[in-house]
Amino acid sequence: MQVRHVIAAALLSVSAVSAMSQELDPSHDRTFTASRTRESVKAETRNLQAQGELKAVGETADAPVVAVVPTPSAERELTRAEVKAELATWRASHKVRVGELG
């Protein structure tokens, strides 16, 4: 059984050394030059959205398009003190233990 382990380790080490010992081919140019600018891609995206040709995928694909996401706090203006008071109330009512199971 130990002979198999030794042979397997030897084969793996030889294959790893041979994979690492390959030289890079200097004839391949590894630089990349973009053919389009970021602004042109953004403009094309905006044009496709305006024409309705840009199709959404994923779980938000069927979601309605809204200008603003409605939230309960968006309907009322709170001061910083009121927000801190709400946070203190929430923390007092929700005891969370970090790193421990409930």
Side-chain angles (χ1 to χ4, degrees):
M1 183 101 171
Q2 291 181 354
V3 174
R4 281 194 214 161
H5 291 289
V6 171
I7 292 172
L11 289 174
L12 286 174
S13 64
V14 168
S15 64
V17 168
S18 66
M20 294 172 57
S21 66
Q22 294 177 356
E23 292 184 18
L24 292 175
D25 187 6
S27 66
H28 292 300
D29 185 19
R30 297 197 183 269
T31 59
F32 175 75
T33 55
S35 59
R36 298 176 6 183
T37 63
R38 181 178 174 90
E39 287 76 25
S40 68
V41 173
K42 284 179 160 182
E44 183 179 356
T45 304
R46 281 192 300 270
N47 291 340
L48 289 173
Q49 286 174 337
Q51 296 169 359
E53 294 179 16
L54 189 65
K55 298 190 191 282
V57 294
E59 59 187 50
T60 59
D62 297 328
V65 177
V66 293
V68 177
V69 177
T71 59
S73 62
E75 298 168 1
R76 56 194 171 110
E77 293 292 325
L78 297 177
T79 65
R80 185 175 178 89
E82 291 171 335
V83 171
K84 284 185 174 184
E86 278 188 13
L87 178 62
T89 304
W90 181 86
R91 283 184 176 164
S93 64
H94 294 81
K95 300 294 182 192
V96 177
R97 295 181 185 160
V98 178
E100 297 178 11
L101 294 176

